[in-house]
């Protein structure tokens, strides 16, 4: 029997009482204890009638049990579909319907909201709360501690992660076992992870960064993780002396630098700080080194590809760059119009190919074909160049995307909602610099002739429909939107006009 993902990440730790999860309350969960938890959950899921290939949609708080559900899915051949805990009922119903999830696992607080959605779609609902209680764990409680691992091949799907689109609805990126494993193996090697590492884990586990990059590396190499429910500055500072490595979005590092308790001594025994998911300002890189003596290692990836490039572990970690293509990953810079490779040094769209690149978007062949070329190159939508030393720099995005604190916000989704509001003729949503989140959305409305949009009521509607992190920080009414001769809204002009809006001083 083989199941590469389960065997390599989880099965290899069978019977080992080595520490895996260090929890903030002092509890330690061993590898063996974690595997037993996962096995019980795998039994609970299969007892509910789930079959290999079925999707398990999970909107649950970060906990050891939530992570064990990922392991359970791998072991039972189920496709794990983690969902941002901030999503509203509207957002969730789309993901559940689109994925055809057979089982929804949610927090007890969301049960009432999700039950009608699940009933309408013929899916089951079970609960799993932040403290590990819930109907799913209750079902799992009496189950055996071992589970016969379901046979899978590296090409079988392991996870769906939804990623928004510049137009229309989110797309389910289909990730295979090999996509996840190959990237974890490469990163563990490149970043020198071993069983002696203790990773300070403060990222959410519903995205690539916290779930795959961080967790898969720790599992693959057998080290431990200080598993915090979220990024809490006090806890991160309190736990750092026990850790050897941390991974975070740039907001983690600017928040640490904003706290006087974060000193050279506190970070002294740390081996590695990794940043990604959004651009790390060169000034943060420099300030971090001045404070701690450590150079943050910046890398670049996407939901569809896992990680593509990384600054070197040994060698010059260059501020403002995302380093070199990872071993096994081909990267080229092409002309967005023709798709032809550009001469070295020129700015163009970044395309990548390798074992890390996903299989396509779930049931969206035309969207897959538009972004994933027949020769295997994936068009990332990021713009960048490669310098003469081979370092990749991302200079911007071809796609209309705002990244706030590492979470993606697609302006189109907000604009469609704003355009529908009473008194609104049209709208434009732009990302403007924000000191904490890097970028934040600003909504610009144009009124229908003779009308005055009620911005408070509109904000309330946005709040009811979309996750908190997507809410525009402010709504502004303008007479008209700047347009080019083709009639296209010139967002660059708006971005420039409002660039200092949330920057103090
Ligand atoms: C929380 N809020 C946010 C964000 N997070 N608003 C905008 N952007 C955000 N990222 C809301 C909260 O709900 C809260 O609402 C208010 O903003 C302030 O909350 P605060 O306490 O400051 O936030 P927090 O809970 O401390 O969270 C900030 C955070 C968190 C720690 C930066 O967002 C985070 O952990 N981000 C990491 C995201 C991530 O993992 N991205 C990886 C994607 P209210 O005021 O109403 O209470 S994977 C990826 O991108 C690719 C593959 C890659 O390369 O890694
Ligand atoms: P996601 O769709 O959540 O996977 O987000 C992927 C996007 O995040 C990429 O296409 C980039 O635009 C951005 N991103 C990730 N890492 C970096 C980085 N180190 N620097 C700049 N942008 C990044």
């Amino acid at each position: 029997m083989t199941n590469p993902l389960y065997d390599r990440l989880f099965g290899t730790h069978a019977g080992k009482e080595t520490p895996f999860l260090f929890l903030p309350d002092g509890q330690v969960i061993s590898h063996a204890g974690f595997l037993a938890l996962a096995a019980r959950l795998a039994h609970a899921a299969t007892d509910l009638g789930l079959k290999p290939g079925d999707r398990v949609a999970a909107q649950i708080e970060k906990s050891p049990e939530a992570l064990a559900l990922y392991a359970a899915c791998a072991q039972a051949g189920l496709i794990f579909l983690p969902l941002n805990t901030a999503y509203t009922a509207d957002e969730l119903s789309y993901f559940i319907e689109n994925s055809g999830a057979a089982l929804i696992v949610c927090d007890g607080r969301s049960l009432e909201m999700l039950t009608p959605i699940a009933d309408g779609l013929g899916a089951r609902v079970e609960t799993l709360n932040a403290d590990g209680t819930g109907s799913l764990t209750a079902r799992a409680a009496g189950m055996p501690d071992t589970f016969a691992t379901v046979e899978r091949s590296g090409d079988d799907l392991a996870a769906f992660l939804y990623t928004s689109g510049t137009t229309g609805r989110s797309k389910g990126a289909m990730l295979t076992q090999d996509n996840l494993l190959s990237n974890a193996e490469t990163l563990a090697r490149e970043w020198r992870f071993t069983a002696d590492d203790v990773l300070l884990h403060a990222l959410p586990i519903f995205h690539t960064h916290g779930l795959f990059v961080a967790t898969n590396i720790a599992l693959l190499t057998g080290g431990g993780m200080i598993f915090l429910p979220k990024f809490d500055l006090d806890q991160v500072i309190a736990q750092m002396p026990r850790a050897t490595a941390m991974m975070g979005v740039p907001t983690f590092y600017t928040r640490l630098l904003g706290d006087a308790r974060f000193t050279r001594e506190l970070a002294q025994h740390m081996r590695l700080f990794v940043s990604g998911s959004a651009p790390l300002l060169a000034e943060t890189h420099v300030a971090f080194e001045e404070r701690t003596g450590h150079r943050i290692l910046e890398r670049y990836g996407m939901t569809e590809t896992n990680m593509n490039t990384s600054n070197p572990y040994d060698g010059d970690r260059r501020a403002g760059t995302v380093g070199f293509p990872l071993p096994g990953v081909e990267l080229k810079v092409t002309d967005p119009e023709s798709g032809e490779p550009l001469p070295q040094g020129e700015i163009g769209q970044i395309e990548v190919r390798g074992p890390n690149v996903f299989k396509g978007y779930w049931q969206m062949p035309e969207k897959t074909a538009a972004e994933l070329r027949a020769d295997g190159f994936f068009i990332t939508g990021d713009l960048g160049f490669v310098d003469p030393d081979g370092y990749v720099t991302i200079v911007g995005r071809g796609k209309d995307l705002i990244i706030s604190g590492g979470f993606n916000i697609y302006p189109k989704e907000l604009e469609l909602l704003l355009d529908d509001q009473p008194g609104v003729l049209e709208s434009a949503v732009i990302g403007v610099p924000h000191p904490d989140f890097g970028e934040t959305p600003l909504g610009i409305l144009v009124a229908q002739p003779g009308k005055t949009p009620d911005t408070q009521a509109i904000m309330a509607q946005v709040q009811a429909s979309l996750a908190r992190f997507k809410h525009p920080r402010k709504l502004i009414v303008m007479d008209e939107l700047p347009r080019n001769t083709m009639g296209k809204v010139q967002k660059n002009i708006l971005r420039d006009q409002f660039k200092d809006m949330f920057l103090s001083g």
Side-chain angles (χ1 to χ4, degrees):
M1 278 285 209
T2 59
N3 175 324
L5 190 72
Y6 184 82
D7 296 347
R8 297 293 315 279
L9 297 187
F10 305 102
T12 175
H13 303 300
K16 290 189 196 155
E17 287 303 333
T18 39
F20 175 43
L21 298 178
F22 299 93
L23 306 182
D25 65 2
Q27 222 195 114
V28 180
I29 298 179
S30 68
H31 282 101
F34 181 78
L35 293 191
L37 183 58
R40 292 195 294 269
L41 286 168
H43 279 292
T46 49
D47 256 32
L48 286 167
L50 269 75
K51 305 263 176 320
D54 280 349
R55 275 77 65 204
V56 176
Q59 191 197 34
I60 43 181
E61 296 294 338
K62 184 175 172 184
S63 68
E65 291 78 9
L67 193 64
L69 184 60
Y70 164 52
C73 286
Q75 190 166 24
L78 304 169
I79 300 174
F80 189 52
L81 195 176
L83 292 161
N84 193 319
T85 47
Y87 288 146
T88 63
D90 282 0
E91 292 166 313
L92 288 172
S93 54
Y94 170 77
F95 298 125
I96 294 165
E97 179 170 13
N98 183 267
S99 65
L103 171 66
I104 302 164
V105 185
C106 69
D107 194 282
R109 286 172 312 190
S110 314
L111 185 61
E112 208 176 313
M113 176 250 293
L114 280 168
T115 303
I117 299 174
D119 286 350
L121 299 168
R124 296 203 57 120
V125 195
E126 296 290 332
T127 59
L128 174 50
N129 304 315
D131 63 3
T133 60
S135 64
L136 188 68
T137 34
R139 280 182 182 281
M143 299 287 178
D145 283 353
T146 54
F147 179 89
T149 304
V150 169
E151 186 155 340
R152 296 269 97 184
S153 82
D155 200 40
D156 279 323
L157 297 181
F160 275 13
L161 259 63
Y162 275 79
T163 159
S164 300
T166 40
T167 53
R169 302 306 297 255
S170 290
K171 302 162 282 184
M174 299 187 287
L175 295 154
T176 65
Q177 291 211 345
D178 274 350
N179 291 153
L180 304 182
L181 253 187
S182 66
N183 212 237
E185 278 165 354
T186 303
L187 294 174
R189 218 172 27 244
E190 289 295 298
W191 297 345
R192 313 280 193 272
F193 271 82
T194 71
D196 295 332
D197 274 304
V198 177
L199 180 71
L200 186 44
H201 194 304
L203 286 159
I205 52 168
F206 46 70
H207 276 316
T208 298
H209 198 164
L211 184 62
F212 301 141
V213 182
T215 306
N216 285 356
I217 290 180
L219 281 162
L220 192 68
T221 50
M225 296 198 285
I226 299 171
F227 205 59
L228 302 181
K230 58 172 283 196
F231 182 87
D232 174 281
L233 196 52
D234 293 338
Q235 290 223 17
V236 168
I237 287 172
Q239 298 287 345
M240 194 168 288
R242 306 168 60 200
T244 62
M246 185 172 101
M247 296 181 193
V249 296
T251 302
F252 285 20
Y253 296 111
T254 50
R255 286 188 181 181
L256 280 169
L257 284 171
D259 195 302
R261 292 171 298 173
F262 182 59
T263 59
R264 184 173 285 258
E265 291 68 45
L266 195 82
Q268 149 180 303
H269 64 291
M270 287 288 278
R271 177 178 80 70
L272 181 63
F273 290 94
V274 177
S275 178
S277 310
L280 183 76
L281 292 178
E283 67 198 52
T284 309
H285 193 277
V286 170
F288 200 89
E289 184 173 14
E290 276 170 13
R291 176 85 66 91
T292 64
H294 287 282
R295 289 174 79 84
I296 297 174
L297 184 154
E298 186 170 7
R299 66 20 170 218
Y300 157 66
M302 288 185 77
T303 299
E304 290 92 334
T305 63
N306 288 281
M307 298 304 101
N308 295 314
T309 74
S310 172
N311 268 281
Y313 188 85
D314 299 313
D316 194 12
R317 299 178 194 167
R318 290 197 190 159
T321 83
V322 293
F324 307 112
L326 287 164
V329 177
E330 291 170 81
L331 181 147
K332 64 181 181 181
V333 176
T334 62
D335 181 329
E337 298 298 318
S338 67
E340 289 303 313
L342 289 169
Q344 200 273 320
E346 282 192 22
I347 294 173
Q349 67 184 6
I350 294 175
E351 300 191 24
V352 293
R353 178 165 72 180
N356 53 318
V357 173
F358 76 141
K359 215 171 175 172
Y361 297 115
W362 171 247
Q363 291 183 337
M364 292 187 181
E366 60 308 321
K367 292 209 161 127
T368 302
E371 293 178 42
L372 188 58
R373 296 188 191 281
D375 65 2
F377 271 99
F378 176 67
I379 306 167
T380 63
D382 292 306
L383 302 175
F385 68 90
V386 183
D387 77 10
D389 297 331
Y391 285 82
V392 178
T393 297
I394 305 206
V395 296
R397 300 176 200 127
K399 54 194 171 192
D400 195 11
L401 164 70
I402 300 167
I403 306 183
S404 166
F407 287 146
N408 288 3
I409 302 162
Y410 277 85
K412 192 77 195 166
E413 187 181 21
L414 274 163
E415 287 161 2
L416 288 172
L417 186 62
L418 293 174
D419 289 350
D420 261 359
Q421 301 307 307
V424 176
L425 179 68
E426 60 173 349
S427 67
V429 173
I430 54 166
V432 291
H434 187 273
D436 187 30
F437 291 130
E439 278 183 307
T440 197
L442 175 70
I444 296 157
L445 309 176
V446 176
Q448 284 170 354
K451 300 267 177 65
T452 309
D454 177 349
T455 48
Q456 272 191 353
I458 294 177
M459 202 61 116
Q461 185 56 52
V462 171
Q463 282 162 7
S465 306
L466 299 178
R468 171 77 183 90
F469 68 88
K470 297 180 187 170
H471 300 173
R473 209 148 286 265
K474 203 170 160 57
L475 291 176
I476 291 176
V477 182
M478 282 176 77
D479 291 340
E480 60 179 5
L481 298 174
R483 291 184 185 276
N484 64 15
T485 48
M486 307 290 286
K488 192 170 184 294
V489 177
Q490 290 176 297
K491 288 198 171 177
N492 52 334
I493 295 182
L494 293 171
R495 280 189 209 106
D496 197 51
Q497 183 174 351
F498 295 109
K499 66 178 186 305
D500 297 325
M501 184 134 214
F502 301 110
L503 300 177
S504 51

